[in-house]
Every structure is written in C-alpha cells, then in structure tokens.
Amino acid sequence: MLAEKALDLIRELQRTLSGTLSPYNEDKIRQVLEEMQNLYDQNRDRAHYAAGQADVFAAIQLRHAAIQRNKRCLLAYLYNRLEQIRKMRWEFGSVLPSDVRYNMCEQEVQWFTQYNRQLANYMKTIGESGGLDLTQDMKPPKTLYVLVRCIMDHGEFETQDGNIILLKKNSQHYLLRSECEHLIRQGILEHLVH
Amino acid sequence: MLIKDFRRDFYDVLQHQRVLILVAFDVDALCACKILQYLFQCDQVLYTVVPVNGLQGVENAFLENAEGIKHVILINCGASVDIVELLQPEDNVRFYICDSHRPVDIHNYYNAVQVKLLMRGEELSVPSYDEVFRDDESSESDTENDDPELGGKKKRFDDEAILRRQERRRWKENRVKLLFDYTKFTSFGTSAALVMFELAWKLSKDTNNLLWLAIVGVTDQQIHYRTPREKYMEDVLALQVHVSRHNQRGDDDENLLSVNCLRVSFEEELHLSLYRHWSLFDSICHSTSVACKLKLWSLKGQKKLHEFLAEMGLPLAQCKQQYSAMESTLKSEVKEKMQTFMHKYGLEIQDIILPSFTMQYGYKSVLCAADHVMMCAALLESIDKSKMLTDYFLDGTEVLQRSNQEKMDSGVDAAKHQLRSMVKQIQSFIDMHQIISAGPFLYVFIQEGAADSRFFSHPQCLIRLARFTLEAHCNVTRNKRARILPLILGAPLMNEEGSTLVVGIPPLDTDDERKNFFGKAFEQAAESTNTSAKFNSFESHVIEMKSEDKSKFFDAMIGLLQ
C-alpha cells in the first residue's frame, strides 16, 4: 500500500523512543526513497497528457500526496533520532556508550561530533574561569552532600580537595554529591535516603 | 580531658572538617551515631562511619581510614583503654570519645591535647593527677641510673636520697592501690545517645525523632542490664521533660498535631517482651522477671500461669492469639488486672511495670522503646551466616530508621527467635542441673553443638541469657547463698572452632549497683595461668578463650575469688 513503509519507520521510532536508540534502518529508508522515486516517475510520465482529464489529474494528486507524506515521515524519523541523540549527550556526556554509537549512521555521528564541539565551546565561554559544566545538576539538587553507603570494596578514592577516602564494603560516607554521582551510577555506592 | 562545653570544644571545632566516626556494635551506640549523623548533615560536616567490633576492629578501622583524618569520634568504645597508646596516631589527630563504659582510662582522662571525653564529669571519680602521675618521674629515674657511677661524690646526700626513695616507694604503692580500686569494678555511665541528644538540644537542633533515638539508647542500657534501675529512672525523668516539651498539644482542635507526625508519649509500660507483636501468653513466657518468678519452664509454673490468667479473667483463647487481635476491652484491662493480682503470685511491681515511652507514627501500630531495642539488638547479633558483620550493622540502622516495614518485621521475628532459644536453653540448664556452684561463683557452659548455641556466640545476647539464667537459678535453688553469687556463662563461638565466649555477671544481690568485677578477675586469672584469653571486647567482662584452657582458667578463678 502507498506510504505503508514510511509508517513502519514511524512506528519503529515510537517503540524505541524511551531511552534507547534503535539501529538506523537504512534498508527501509532506501525502500521509501525508491517508492517516492517511483511515484515521481509515474507522475512525470502522466503529467504530459493530464490536461483536461479529470481522472488522471486525481491520480497525480494522490501520488503527490503520498510523496509528501513519505517525505514528512522520513524527516520526522531523522529529526526525532537527532533529538534522541542530543538528549543522550546531556545524559551520558561527550562519549556515548558503544551500543548507542553502533546504532548511529555516519551522518548522525558527524552531527554528534559537531554538536559536541559547539556545546563544549559554549560551555567554555560562560562562567568565570574555565567555563561551566552545564550537564551537571540538570535539576537543582536538594542538598550539596549525600549520605552514601559502599556496596563493594573499591579501594581508595581521592576527592577534589585532596582527601583520600577508603571505600570499603558497607562503610558509610557523607560526600559531595557531584563527586560520588558517577560512583553511584557505576554501582559502587548506594545513596541512602532518609 | 573532659570537655565542659560540648558545643565550643567539640561541635564547633569539627565544622568544615572531615571526621571519622567509629561506632561500637550496640544499640545505644547506634542511636548516638544516628543523632550525630543528623547534626552533621545539618551543618554539612563530611564524615565516614565505620562500625567496629572489638578493640582489634578499632585498630584496623583507624589504620585503614586514618589518612588525612584529623578528628576521630569514638562512640561507645575506646574510653577504657589508652587510645593514644593503642592507635599510635600522629600528633595532630584528635580523639573525641563518647563512651558509656566506665571506668575511663586515666591516660585518656589526663591527656589534655589529643583525647577529649564527651561525658558527664560528675559520674567519673578519677584519682587526682598527683596521685597517679609524677612529672618528675623521668628525672628521678635518671639520677637513679647515674647513682652508681657518681656514688662517691653523692655520698653525703645519702640520707636525703633514702628519704626521697622511701617517699617514692610509698607513692608508688599508693598509686597501685588507687589504680586497682579505680579499675576493680566496671560499670556504665550515661548512655551515649542521651549525651548526644543533649548536645543536639544545646544546638537547638533536637527533634522528636532524635528524642526517640535517645530514648531507645537509654532503654538499651536497661534491657542489657548496664545501668541500675535508679539511674534508668533518673534518665527517664530527664527524657520525660523533653518528651512533654516536644509533644505539646493545645486543647483546641486547631493545634492538634497531624497524624503524620511522630508522637512520643511517656507510659507505664508492661514489662513484657514484645507483647504488642506477639501473643500475651508467649510474651509472658519469654519475659525474664515474670518467667523466673513463676518458674514458667516447669509444668507447675505453666499451671500457675493459667491460674493467674484465669483469675484476671483473660480467656486462654484470647491470650494465645496475636495481641493486636485481642478484644479491645480485655486489652485495656490487662495492665490494671495484672497489678491487682500480681501479689498473690509473688510478683512485684518492678517485674510487671517499667516506666518507658511509646511512639506512634501515622496510622501504624504503637511501638514501645523496649521492643525497638530488642528488634535492633536481634538484628545486630543476627545469626544469618551469609551476611557480614557490617551488614548486621546496616540492618540495625535501618530498623532504627523505621521506614522499612519489612526490616522491622524481620527484626521482630529475629527477636522472638532469640527469646525462644533463650528460654529453651534455660530450661535445659535447669532440667539437667547444669548450673554448678564452684564455691565463690556459679558457672554453666553451653555444650558445643547445642541446638541454639549459635545465638549465644554474641556478647549482648549472652549477657541477657546469663542474667536470665541467674534469676531462674535463684528462684529454683534451695541454696540461700545463690543470690550473693555471681555467674559465669560460657558459650561456644560460632565462627571459631574450639573457642569459647565467656561472660561474667555480678550477683543479684548487688543489683542496685550493677558493678562488675569480672573484668579485673578475668585478667588476673588469665595472667596467672598463662591462658591466651582474648580481651577484645569493649566490655572487659566478656572474653574469648580456647575451650581446652577452661578448667585451668576456672581453677585460677576459684583461687582468686575465694
């Protein structure tokens, strides 16, 4: 059916919108493009003797609408993927996890590196000295410090002010939130909530 | 050195510093630690909490975590040993000791620079400085060493020197005697949690929550027979003032507290363990004083209990079901009726009523302080082998947090388990006549491989068992002297084959003092027999030793105490 494949793309996008990036579906996009080319060619052939014939004219209009629809779907697919990638830049930082990177197409990778560069440049220019990391504390934190508990033996950990803390299993520490956030993400520390 | 102004000399000093907190494994210490954690979180003081088990644990924890740390707080540990000597810290490290163990080591007391004591000064009766230390000691010994070389020249000072030496000898004898008297008995002072709460109060940061922790800390001292009843009452009165201050409610409806607040109230509690979470019948059977007075482990005792319940008008069916499901009219009468009929059964008011506190949060059921202590203590000394010691500690803190209902329930179960095995153990002690009088003291050992022995390889539980046993024995035996005899109880250690955990408790007769002389006695007995006993525990009346040294050790103890 007309424009069915483009709809598939949108459906696929819809399924994976939450958090992950699906593989770039090059195959399907090519098929959609082919379909559009086909429709276009048909339209061009008919356009010569369409004048005055209402039925041919209607057919041309229908095909044209299908082309427009396919185009919109393709653009939506690409745009949403970029949005997704941009969101991930803020979540994961400048280096994306390998499985995400694997699912990106070449142009997307290019776009990502450019975006990265621009963001880095921008962050360098704001703030007083050495810029400001905008990706931290996306929501204003309630406290600067958090109580954490160590889940596994990690060894020594040096804080920004040069103190060395021994992260031993089951010890409890009261630390700067920004410092232990990545350790919490790695599953070494656990945030104790009261 | 004793700190007078906690705020200036302790709390303010710690601002913007990183602090290491070492916490002993008991409920009181846990409560104190939680209060302190709250304060530190208010003021954003960075800290690290490490639970420590025994003196060895303190040493290890300090070594591991000492890097860059200038302030170490010890809660319920470390006061009774010379902490500077033990840990060999750098000169700029300060120790703040908040410990209820007495006596305090004199070196800690007189170390003005490195050791600060957070405790009430009036409770300590430390010998005066001049009597135990001599500033000229080193120079004196120098001259003594020099004496033989310079003998000829110094002859004319002989008389003087002899006098001086005589005086020194007298001073030394006096010192030994004083120190012996000072360290002869071990006892407990004000609960660490209460001390911490008072600090919070002075900082105007006290809340109902902290108050409850302080109450639990004080109750812990009562449950584990640390402080005499008089001292407990004194603390309860002090706490009651805070309770009424925090739980003030106006008469008009507008001032009513929301149901989502923590409400603490003073109450004359039934002194029955866990009865709100158990059936009344079971609870009575597992409560120390009532069970001992009625001899509930025997058939006769059980009959007597039935009679008692019948006389109170409590149907058995009601008593044997969950207390929470009992008829509410009966529930409200239990306390009153018990007090009316108790005299006939030889029970006294102290056996049944304990002035204590209860708390309620939201629409959850009422929790009383004693039960909270039991839950926490049971989880702290859990027998779950798959977990590490520090896991127990975290379980304990979670129970104190009260937010996790599942943990609370597991605490209740663990506490019930403990009590059940305790009663079973005592029954077998009594039935098999295992409690033996060795002359100056009673002793009993739990056989290796006994069914529930794993419960008793923890000190706090063992102390409670010892006390239960002693009371039971005193009520059964015909020996009139039993009340003036102390008891030594040994249990096999779970983790180490062939080791025994030994605890000594003072006789019932001296119950209003709760002073324990076993610390010194164990030490001397071990010394004289060369047994390799381990004095690892913070309580000196709890020691570990090899099972094969038992008889040798006990012969020495008999000789010592006669």
Side-chain angles (χ1 to χ4, degrees):
Chain A
M1 212 167 49
L2 275 185
E4 181 74 3
K5 293 213 169 69
L7 190 63
D8 275 355
L9 274 179
I10 298 297
R11 283 212 189 97
E12 189 187 306
L13 192 70
Q14 180 82 31
R15 273 199 298 278
T16 55
L17 260 186
S18 54
T20 56
L21 191 74
S22 60
Y24 180 71
N25 202 339
E26 204 180 341
D27 222 27
K28 200 139 253 164
I29 288 178
R30 198 170 31 83
Q31 285 173 11
V32 175
L33 286 173
E34 268 169 20
E35 190 189 291
M36 283 165 74
Q37 186 68 44
N38 255 338
L39 290 169
Y40 177 73
D41 287 346
Q42 284 176 20
N43 264 2
R44 199 186 45 196
D45 293 346
R46 304 289 153 84
H48 297 300
Y49 44 89
Q53 290 184 19
D55 53 338
V56 177
F57 191 66
I60 288 177
Q61 265 189 332
L62 179 68
R63 282 193 210 101
H64 187 70
I67 292 173
Q68 291 289 341
R69 180 183 166 78
N70 273 354
K71 189 170 142 196
R72 265 174 56 202
C73 288
L74 281 183
L75 286 177
Y77 182 74
L78 294 174
Y79 178 72
N80 276 301
R81 281 177 64 87
L82 283 189
E83 283 286 293
Q84 191 80 7
I85 293 169
R86 179 159 66 187
K87 222 195 278 168
M88 282 177 176
R89 164 65 183 85
W90 290 84
E91 259 171 44
F92 297 118
S94 54
V95 182
L96 289 181
S98 59
D99 55 326
V100 173
R101 219 167 342 139
Y102 190 71
N103 285 343
M104 282 163 34
C105 74
E106 211 186 298
Q107 286 87 351
E108 278 169 341
V109 173
Q110 248 173 37
W111 179 87
F112 180 71
T113 39
Q114 269 176 25
Y115 182 72
N116 242 346
R117 204 178 306 140
Q118 282 177 7
L119 190 65
N121 282 338
Y122 175 62
M123 289 200 293
K124 229 182 275 170
T125 55
I126 53 172
E128 282 126 44
S129 57
L132 178 71
D133 191 357
L134 291 175
T135 54
Q136 267 190 1
D137 296 328
M138 302 284 279
K139 283 179 205 143
K142 265 194 166 168
T143 53
L144 281 178
Y145 298 91
V146 285
L147 179 63
V148 290
R149 168 200 153 186
C150 207
I151 305 179
M152 55 175 89
D153 287 331
H154 180 66
E156 287 179 349
F157 169 68
E158 194 170 344
T159 56
Q160 282 166 1
D161 47 1
N163 280 320
I164 288 176
I165 294 171
L166 182 79
L167 297 179
K168 203 178 174 202
K169 191 174 183 226
N170 282 338
S171 54
Q172 292 176 43
H173 308 271
Y174 192 54
L175 293 175
L176 208 60
R177 175 187 284 269
S178 54
E179 277 176 353
C180 50
E181 226 162 24
H182 67 281
L183 288 173
I184 294 175
R185 237 180 245 147
Q186 284 171 34
I188 292 163
L189 299 178
E190 185 185 64
H191 183 187
L192 293 177
V193 192
H194 290 247
Chain B
M1 189 185 70
L2 211 60
I3 289 187
K4 295 237 165 48
D5 186 345
F6 285 7
R7 182 179 186 153
R8 195 190 63 215
D9 295 335
F10 167 65
Y11 197 72
D12 288 349
V13 176
L14 296 183
Q15 297 299 322
H16 312 297
Q17 300 283 343
R18 230 163 66 76
V19 185
L20 175 66
I21 308 176
L22 304 180
V23 192
F25 267 80
D26 62 68
V27 181
D28 180 31
L30 229 79
C31 293
C33 174
K34 289 222 78 108
I35 296 177
L36 197 62
Q37 272 180 294
Y38 173 81
L39 292 180
F40 282 169
Q41 278 170 24
C42 285
D43 285 311
Q44 310 199 329
V45 176
L46 298 187
Y47 62 81
T48 296
V49 178
V50 183
V52 290
N53 190 19
L55 293 170
Q56 194 61 47
V58 173
E59 236 178 301
N60 293 344
F62 181 75
L63 278 180
E64 280 171 0
N65 294 291
E67 206 169 326
I69 294 258
K70 304 228 165 34
H71 303 273
V72 182
I73 300 173
L74 296 124
I75 299 181
N76 263 5
C77 54
S80 39
V81 289
D82 186 352
I83 197 79
V84 176
E85 175 76 29
L86 179 75
L87 299 179
Q88 305 285 348
E90 286 178 28
D91 286 340
N92 55 2
V93 178
R94 304 273 176 278
F95 294 96
Y96 303 88
I97 303 180
C98 180
D99 191 352
S100 59
H101 293 89
R102 303 287 181 274
V104 176
D105 190 89
I106 49 165
H107 295 94
N108 286 342
Y109 188 82
Y110 287 117
N111 188 332
V113 187
Q114 288 202 280
V115 184
K116 320 266 180 192
L117 299 175
L118 300 167
M119 39 188 83
R120 292 183 184 170
E122 62 271 17
E123 280 170 12
L124 311 170
S125 48
V126 187
S128 71
Y129 185 81
D130 295 334
E131 283 170 328
V132 283
F133 292 106
R134 258 170 102 106
D135 293 331
D136 55 345
E137 208 156 11
S138 55
S139 58
E140 283 267 329
S141 57
D142 279 348
T143 50
E144 212 169 8
N145 289 341
D146 293 344
D147 259 354
E149 297 163 29
L150 308 166
K153 289 175 199 168
K154 284 211 166 177
K155 215 143 207 162
R156 57 205 162 107
F157 297 120
D158 238 4
D159 287 349
E160 222 173 287
I162 286 175
L163 269 178
R164 225 182 325 155
R165 224 170 289 156
Q166 240 173 16
E167 193 260 333
R168 262 191 63 195
R169 206 182 313 124
R170 220 174 299 128
W171 178 84
K172 259 189 185 157
E173 275 167 15
N174 187 35
R175 176 176 194 262
V176 170
K177 191 179 158 296
L178 271 175
L179 281 185
F180 181 78
D181 284 344
Y182 179 58
T183 52
K184 191 163 55 173
F185 291 111
T186 54
S187 60
F188 288 88
T190 306
S191 121
L194 186 59
V195 172
M196 280 299 160
F197 176 74
E198 276 170 3
L199 171 67
W201 176 44
K202 273 176 201 144
L203 296 169
S204 312
K205 289 201 176 85
D206 53 333
T207 63
N208 232 355
N209 218 342
L210 299 192
L211 177 60
W212 179 252
L213 288 173
I215 289 170
V216 172
V218 168
T219 314
D220 172 56
Q221 290 200 316
Q222 153 78 12
I223 297 255
H224 290 103
Y225 308 104
R226 291 182 159 196
T227 46
R229 202 174 166 100
E230 227 170 87
K231 167 78 181 140
Y232 171 73
M233 290 310 295
E234 204 179 285
D235 290 343
V236 164
L237 284 181
L239 284 168
Q240 204 191 336
V241 176
H242 293 294
V243 167
S244 35
R245 189 163 55 85
H246 273 286
N247 295 276
Q248 176 78 295
R249 276 196 258 180
D251 292 330
D252 46 332
D253 289 344
E254 282 170 29
N255 284 345
L256 276 183
L257 271 179
S258 140
V259 76
N260 286 323
C261 290
L262 176 69
R263 276 161 293 157
V264 182
S265 53
F266 174 80
E267 220 138 324
E268 299 259 302
E269 265 294 304
L270 274 176
H271 193 12
L272 300 176
S273 12
L274 296 170
Y275 72 96
R276 284 181 219 276
H277 311 270
W278 218 344
S279 68
L280 191 63
F281 191 85
D282 278 331
S283 173
I284 291 177
C285 288
H286 294 93
S287 303
T288 310
S289 36
V290 183
C292 289
K293 286 269 166 74
L294 297 178
K295 304 189 186 84
L296 288 180
W297 49 85
S298 64
L299 215 56
K300 228 170 116 191
Q302 286 286 331
K303 266 190 195 156
K304 224 169 169 183
L305 174 60
H306 282 146
E307 212 179 299
F308 184 35
L309 292 172
E311 197 154 354
M312 286 193 291
L314 300 173
L316 257 192
Q318 290 280 341
C319 291
K320 283 190 175 174
Q321 70 171 335
Q322 280 285 324
Y323 177 81
S324 49
M326 251 171 96
E327 264 179 44
S328 52
T329 43
L330 290 178
K331 257 200 285 197
S332 57
E333 286 171 356
V334 168
K335 195 160 56 179
E336 210 177 297
K337 281 191 170 159
M338 272 202 172
Q339 289 183 58
T340 347
F341 293 103
M342 67 185 178
H343 296 295
K344 188 175 164 193
Y345 296 88
L347 297 169
E348 283 161 44
I349 189 93
Q350 285 106 310
D351 302 330
I352 292 201
I353 300 294
L354 178 75
S356 182
F357 298 91
T358 58
M359 71 112 186
Q360 193 168 18
Y361 184 77
Y363 290 105
K364 285 181 193 156
S365 54
V366 177
L367 182 64
C368 85
D371 292 354
H372 209 168
V373 172
M374 298 275 248
M375 288 176 202
C376 187
L379 283 184
L380 271 185
E381 303 197 324
S382 148
I383 49 163
D384 188 350
K385 271 190 185 163
S386 63
K387 288 182 172 176
M388 286 166 54
L389 259 179
T390 41
D391 285 319
Y392 301 158
F393 184 83
L394 288 168
D395 285 348
T397 29
E398 263 183 67
V399 163
L400 285 182
Q401 204 82 56
R402 303 186 320 269
S403 49
N404 188 343
Q405 190 56 41
E406 232 168 85
K407 271 272 147 59
M408 302 285 279
D409 291 343
S410 76
V412 173
D413 284 343
K416 280 184 195 169
H417 238 89
Q418 261 190 358
L419 286 171
R420 270 197 213 110
S421 53
M422 223 181 260
V423 169
K424 231 184 270 167
Q425 190 63 52
I426 283 160
Q427 188 162 16
S428 78
F429 279 159
I430 303 260
D431 288 350
M432 321 264 278
H433 299 288
Q434 279 175 333
I435 305 164
I436 299 163
S437 170
F441 60 88
L442 302 163
Y443 72 88
V444 57
F445 279 94
I446 297 171
Q447 301 304 318
E448 198 136 348
D452 290 320
S453 63
R454 59 217 164 109
F455 278 107
F456 307 119
S457 59
H458 297 292
Q460 305 287 342
C461 187
L462 195 64
I463 286 172
R464 270 193 287 153
L465 175 73
R467 172 69 188 215
F468 206 150
T469 311
L470 187 57
E471 273 186 43
H473 180 71
C474 284
N475 276 300
V476 169
T477 181
R478 290 201 194 82
N479 187 353
K480 289 264 164 50
R481 279 182 64 235
R483 285 191 75 81
I484 59 165
L485 293 181
L487 172 81
I488 298 179
L489 175 64
L493 262 181
M494 178 166 69
N495 300 328
E496 284 167 70
E497 285 281 308
S499 282
T500 311
L501 189 66
V502 178
V503 54
I505 59 164
L508 284 185
D509 231 23
T510 59
D511 203 29
D512 30 351
E513 285 182 349
R514 300 245 162 104
K515 280 184 175 170
N516 200 324
F517 58 84
F518 273 110
K520 205 78 186 168
F522 281 154
E523 204 177 291
Q524 285 182 356
E527 225 167 75
S528 63
T529 55
N530 271 329
T531 35
S532 56
K534 267 199 267 176
F535 296 90
N536 188 33
S537 167
F538 300 124
E539 276 118 42
S540 57
H541 51 270
V542 180
I543 61 166
E544 281 171 34
M545 64 168 161
K546 291 265 169 282
S547 301
E548 67 252 28
D549 291 337
K550 235 165 20 187
S551 54
K552 200 167 61 172
F553 185 82
F554 273 78
D555 287 342
M557 283 293 293
I558 294 173
L560 206 67
L561 294 178
Q562 236 152 16

